[in-house]
Amino acid sequence: MEGSKVEKEDIICIICHCIPNKAYTSQCCGIVSCYTCVQNMKQNKLLTCPNCRNKQPNFQLNMYLQKLINKFPVPCKFDCGLILQICEMPSHEKQCPQKFIQCRLCEFKGNKELFIDHATQIHEDQILKLLEFNSYPQFSNQIDVLQEIKNAAGNICNIGITSKFYCGKSAGFKCTICTGVCGPMNGCNCVNCMELDIKYRKLDKGALVNGEGRISYFKNGSFYCGLKSADSRLCGKDYTCRHCISLIGDIPYYKRLFQ
């Protein structure tokens, strides 16, 4: 490298062949590696240098190299035709008109314009159910609907028509009103998705979200949500609705979340 001039072959990670977002260099032979690959080497106990086979390569963060990398011009990964410095690329990629968006309800992937057409044509019913006014409790935390949300098991979750989280995997149990599957759009959910329900509604201990999407409180060995029936009875005062009855049967499964 001469001055601040940088060639791609001088800065790519020797392991993954990508331009590092955090550049590390080895003290043994000066090879470049990214943060992720250095961490993977440590976790897999690969203690020799992948280039010179030194048994103590000692990778360290190279701030000078990182400053040069930040000025390196790269094309947008969404093929919009724009070429920017690496340090400018993250803000552009958030707004890039060619950015790919993955549909959570199917396998479609496309840019914003194509995604909107797909959503309104293929998933019209689901969109209407999510956007129309209903009595389901709203989230206490604002959720970016384009952000990928995973539960504690690492499964990607969707928000169903009841405003509950669902991953589409096995719920781990089968109650009287569901099929034993977490979602995909309504009904009971697995313990890890229920944990997200509690987190995003900022619920205190002693509360879960039933299969209807209503906050249900545990009291005297039972759950009650306050649902008003067609004949004006209240769940918890005059009767127990079927969704809260379902939660009662699932107490052993959800126990760690509300006690």
Side-chain angles (χ1 to χ4, degrees), residues 18 41 58 71 145 230 248 254:
C18 295
M41 287 176 62
N58 192 17
K71 297 179 181 180
V145 296
I248 296 170
Y254 291 127

Side-chain angles (χ1 to χ4, degrees), residues 53-95:
R53 302 305 175 188
N54 188 295
K55 294 183 179 180
Q56 294 181 322
N58 192 17
F59 282 91
Q60 293 187 343
L61 182 65
N62 190 322
M63 295 302 297
Y64 174 71
L65 179 59
Q66 191 61 53
K67 288 180 180 179
L68 296 180
I69 289 175
N70 287 341
K71 297 179 181 180
F72 191 80
V74 292
C76 173
K77 67 181 181 181
F78 300 121
D79 295 326
C80 71
L82 196 64
I83 298 177
L84 295 172
Q85 293 179 348
I86 286 180
C87 59
E88 300 173 325
M89 193 57 72
S91 59
H92 163 72
E93 288 178 349
K94 292 180 180 179
Q95 305 295 329

